[in-house]
């Protein structure tokens, strides 16, 4: 891209779209790294890399081994909450809460953020969620958690020492003071928090003090970021982290959602990672306008690799964007059994079951098309759009038949079925954002169907997307689209995910 082209360019915001909430960022030299919450999905904690803050490439998942991440009996929207990523003394440090049976706060380290990451260091004496790490000038490591309280820890052993102190918990009466991050900037220590809950009243506030333990003086202009009470297209803004560029400029990553449709507005992609500029005025950060498009920066752009539309499953291991529900045992999921195919062996009997064998990727675009070629000769399975066990749509193939299924709360139904020739079949889902016609218009329409041998797409059902939204289902995740098996063994030749122009 020439200098003139770059000057005139605009870049989409969110910078990491789709279900990528609770971003935490750190910079090492000219490299930036972001991690996000992953909840009930395995592998956990996606890790992204960028050289320009605008183009992000997933380079791995921090928790990719069963001994790092146990999600047994974890409900949907349980599991991995709000990690913090920091770099200190030549190592990357990651601290996170596993809200699962036998979980709690854990700490991991790595020399390369792409992995491998260490086995967990458990922190039994650190309660709560949203842990943060920071080191002071003396090398003391402080852990601050939602609430907002703080304790000194030894990051190598997980042991705590000294009393746990209550710090500053934001505006009086504001609920859910959480997501604390501490920074030494200039002459002050700054304590950044989220408050108001992660829904429409979400916001970011900040305070400062002369030591990492306080006392803290609140910013007179708090909250420094919120869209509560506005009609801004980006809502629920909060849970932020700060980073400084080598040129001295400051930036903030934070989560937000993009509601669609009528009233009250439904967001379907989950909470996404956005970027905004930050200026410092009288010793306080001022967040710039949050826009759906970011102007070209003054520094050089460094685009990453373009993600291919198709995955042919030609590698021995799945690419890092693929996630499963709670675990992924090799005996139930492999690319090594049939060359160039993904093989799934059923365990749970349907997507209603917590142990369903499912491999999916986050839906990242409001309008997109997904297709897969499935050989169901030895079982039953297909293509699903999942929010949780009680909210999902799927098109399912067995030998000689395809059917569309819908699960909305307590209601499960077969929407449509038809016969198909024996052998592999191409299944598809088209997602189209819906312009509001009235207050009741849903955010999008999902069309499920079959691709005929000549390439024609035959629609079997049009389903309202609002029922696969957080406003209907509750929870903290977003849509994941992928392949599954519910009976026997099912093979998948390829999987296409293609963004479409609205």
């Amino acid at each position: 891209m020439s200098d003139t082209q770059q000057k005139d360019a605009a870049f989409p915001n969110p910078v990491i779209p789709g279900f990528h909430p609770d971003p935490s960022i750190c910079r090492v030299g000219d490299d930036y790294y972001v991690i996000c919450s992953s909840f009930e999905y395995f592998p956990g904690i996606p890790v992204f890399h960028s050289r320009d803050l605008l183009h992000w490439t997933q380079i791995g998942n921090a928790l990719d081994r069963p001994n790092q991440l146990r999600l047994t009996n974890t409900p949907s929207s349980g599991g991995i909450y709000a990690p913090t990523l920091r770099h200190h003394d030549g190592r990357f440090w990651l601290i996170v809460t596993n809200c699962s049976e036998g979980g709690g706060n854990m700490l991991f380290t790595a020399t390369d953020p792409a992995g491998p990451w260490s086995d967990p260091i458990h922190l039994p004496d650190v309660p709560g969620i949203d842990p943060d790490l920071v080191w002071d000038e003396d090398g003391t490591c402080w852990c601050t958690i939602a609430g907002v309280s703080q304790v000194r820890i030894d990051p190598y052993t997980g042991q705590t020492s000294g009393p746990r102190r209550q710090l500053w918990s934001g505006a009086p009466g504001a609920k859910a003071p959480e997501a604390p991050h501490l920074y030494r900037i200039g002459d002050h220590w700054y304590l950044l928090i989220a408050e108001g809950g992660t829904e429409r009243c979400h916001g970011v506030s900040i305070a400062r003090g002369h030591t990492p333990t306080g006392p803290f003086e609140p910013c007179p202009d708090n909250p420094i970021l919120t869209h509560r009470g506005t009609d801004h297209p980006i809502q629920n803004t909060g849970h932020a982290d700060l980073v400084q560029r080598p040129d001295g400029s400051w930036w903030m990553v934070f989560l937000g959602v993009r509601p669609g449709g009528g009233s009250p507005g439904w967001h379907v992609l989950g909470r996404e990672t956005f970027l905004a500029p930050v200026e410092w005025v009288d010793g306080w950060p001022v967040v710039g306008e949050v826009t759906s498009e970011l102007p070209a920066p003054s520094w050089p752009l460094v685009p990453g690799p373009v993600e291919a539309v198709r995955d042919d499953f030609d590698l021995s291991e799945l690419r890092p964007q693929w996630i499963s529900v709670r675990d992924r045992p090799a005996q139930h999921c492999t690319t090594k059994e049939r060359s160039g195919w993904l093989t799934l062996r059923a365990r749970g009997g349907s997507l209603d079951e917590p142990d369903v064998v499912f491999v999916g990727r986050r839906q990242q675009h409001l309008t997109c098309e997904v297709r897969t070629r499935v050989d169901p000769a030895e079982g039953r399975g297909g293509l699903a759009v999942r929010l949780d066990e009680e909210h999902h749509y799927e098109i399912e193939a067995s030998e000689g038949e395809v059917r569309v299924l819908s699960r909305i709360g307590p209601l499960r139904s077969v929407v449509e079925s038809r016969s198909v020739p024996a052998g592999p079949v191409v299944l598809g889902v088209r997602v189209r954002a819906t312009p509001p016609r009235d207050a009741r218009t849903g955010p999008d329409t999902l069309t499920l169907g079959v691709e005929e041998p000549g390439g024609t797409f035959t629609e079997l059902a049009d389903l309202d997307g609002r029922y696969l939204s957080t406003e209907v289902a509750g929870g903290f995740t977003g849509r994941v689209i992928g392949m599954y098996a519910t009976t026997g063994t099912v093979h998948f030749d390829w999987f296409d995910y293609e963004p479409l122009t609205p």
Side-chain angles (χ1 to χ4, degrees):
M1 181 181 290
S2 69
D3 291 344
T4 301
Q5 289 173 319
Q6 176 172 332
K7 182 178 179 181
D8 295 335
F11 300 87
N13 206 12
V15 290
I16 307 179
F19 157 43
H20 293 107
D22 309 326
S24 180
I25 190 169
C26 77
R27 177 176 68 88
V28 181
D30 293 326
D31 296 286
Y32 304 88
Y33 301 95
V34 159
I35 60 174
C36 301
S37 297
S38 50
F39 295 93
E40 74 266 26
Y41 288 97
F42 180 93
I45 308 184
V47 182
F48 293 87
H49 170 256
S50 176
R51 298 294 299 273
D52 61 11
L53 285 176
L54 295 172
H55 299 91
W56 292 90
T57 301
Q58 187 174 352
I59 58 175
N61 295 279
L63 309 186
D64 59 3
R65 306 189 301 275
N67 64 324
Q68 294 175 306
L69 179 57
R70 298 191 184 279
L71 296 169
T72 306
N73 299 324
T74 300
S76 289
S77 288
I80 293 298
Y81 280 31
T84 293
L85 179 66
R86 295 294 181 254
H87 187 264
H88 175 77
D89 199 21
R91 297 187 68 82
F92 291 89
W93 301 81
L94 187 162
I95 189 168
V96 68
T97 311
N98 184 358
C99 293
S100 300
E101 183 179 304
N105 285 308
M106 304 179 293
L107 196 153
F108 303 83
T109 68
T111 55
D112 182 347
W117 287 81
S118 69
D119 289 342
I121 299 169
H122 292 280
L123 308 173
D125 296 324
V126 178
I129 61 172
D130 298 10
D132 174 68
L133 283 182
V134 72
W135 287 259
D136 66 18
E137 295 90 339
D138 299 328
T140 299
C141 183
W142 298 97
C143 178
T144 309
I145 54 179
V148 173
S149 62
Q150 181 189 78
V151 67
R152 180 189 297 125
I153 71 168
D154 181 339
Y156 294 94
T157 66
Q159 293 182 333
T160 63
S161 59
R164 183 159 59 96
R165 301 179 178 88
Q166 196 69 24
L167 297 183
W168 171 75
S169 293
K175 74 172 185 177
E178 57 191 4
H181 289 309
L182 265 173
Y183 316 87
R184 177 63 187 265
I185 302 172
D187 295 331
H188 291 93
W189 285 87
Y190 288 86
L191 174 58
L192 188 77
I193 71 166
E195 60 183 6
T198 195
E199 296 81 31
R200 295 294 193 267
C201 287
H202 211 199
V204 179
S205 292
I206 197 165
R208 68 186 182 190
H210 293 291
T211 71
T213 58
F216 288 96
E217 164 201 6
C219 175
D221 295 320
N222 279 332
I224 60 171
L225 172 64
T226 188
H227 287 168
R228 63 183 65 143
T230 73
D231 60 359
H232 198 286
I234 300 166
Q235 288 291 325
N236 302 31
T237 50
H239 203 115
D241 203 1
L242 292 168
V243 68
Q244 186 179 27
R245 272 192 40 79
D247 63 7
S249 64
W250 284 85
W251 295 81
M252 175 183 282
V253 291
F254 56 95
L255 70 79
V257 305
R258 292 180 284 171
S263 179
W266 296 270
H267 75 276
V268 300
L269 304 188
R271 299 170 300 161
E272 308 175 272
T273 292
F274 291 81
L275 180 72
V278 174
E279 300 286 342
W280 290 84
V281 178
D282 297 329
W284 294 108
V286 177
V287 182
E289 182 182 1
V290 176
T291 58
S292 298
E293 287 190 335
L294 293 161
S298 59
W299 54 86
L301 294 172
V302 188
V306 176
E307 183 179 346
V309 168
R310 175 163 296 186
D311 192 333
D312 275 312
F313 304 120
D314 51 0
L315 301 179
S316 60
E317 303 293 337
L318 288 174
R319 291 173 170 84
Q321 70 265 31
W322 293 110
I323 53 178
S324 297
V325 182
R326 297 179 181 85
D327 64 3
R328 188 191 290 162
Q331 65 268 32
H332 291 284
C333 173
T334 181
T335 59
K336 300 174 183 177
E337 179 170 319
R338 184 189 286 191
S339 179
W341 292 69
L342 171 67
T343 297
L344 301 182
R345 283 192 173 82
R347 184 175 52 182
S350 77
L351 281 156
D352 303 346
E353 304 298 326
D355 61 346
V356 65
V357 175
F358 172 86
V359 175
R361 53 156 295 160
R362 295 159 173 90
Q363 181 185 334
Q364 293 185 273
H365 301 84
L366 298 172
T367 299
C368 62
E369 181 177 59
V370 179
R371 299 157 61 240
T372 187
R373 184 170 184 257
V374 53
D375 181 357
E378 302 171 60
R380 180 186 293 274
L383 182 61
V385 185
R386 179 188 190 272
L387 198 63
D388 59 27
E389 283 79 16
E390 297 181 352
H391 301 84
H392 50 84
Y393 298 152
E394 57 261 31
I395 181 164
E396 184 173 272
S398 58
E399 186 70 0
E401 183 188 41
V402 166
R403 58 182 187 166
V404 174
L405 305 172
S406 169
R407 172 70 192 268
I408 302 170
L411 305 177
R412 176 180 172 85
S413 60
V414 177
V415 179
E416 186 60 86
S417 64
R418 61 161 284 184
S419 60
V420 293
V425 61
V426 176
L427 307 178
V429 176
R430 291 177 175 172
V431 183
R432 304 187 306 276
T434 306
R437 296 182 303 274
D438 56 41
R440 300 168 300 153
T441 304
D444 58 3
T445 300
L446 284 72
T447 302
L448 295 85
V450 178
E451 188 172 293
E452 307 294 348
T456 302
F457 184 73
T458 298
E459 300 178 1
L460 298 185
D462 282 336
L463 302 179
D464 191 329
R466 83 182 74 196
Y467 302 110
L468 303 188
S469 71
T470 299
E471 283 75 13
V472 169
F476 305 119
T477 62
R479 288 183 188 164
V480 179
I481 305 180
M483 302 150 289
Y484 69 95
T486 56
T487 303
T489 301
V490 183
H491 306 278
F492 297 86
D493 186 11
W494 45 259
F495 181 100
D496 285 356
Y497 177 96
E498 185 174 10
L500 299 178
T501 301

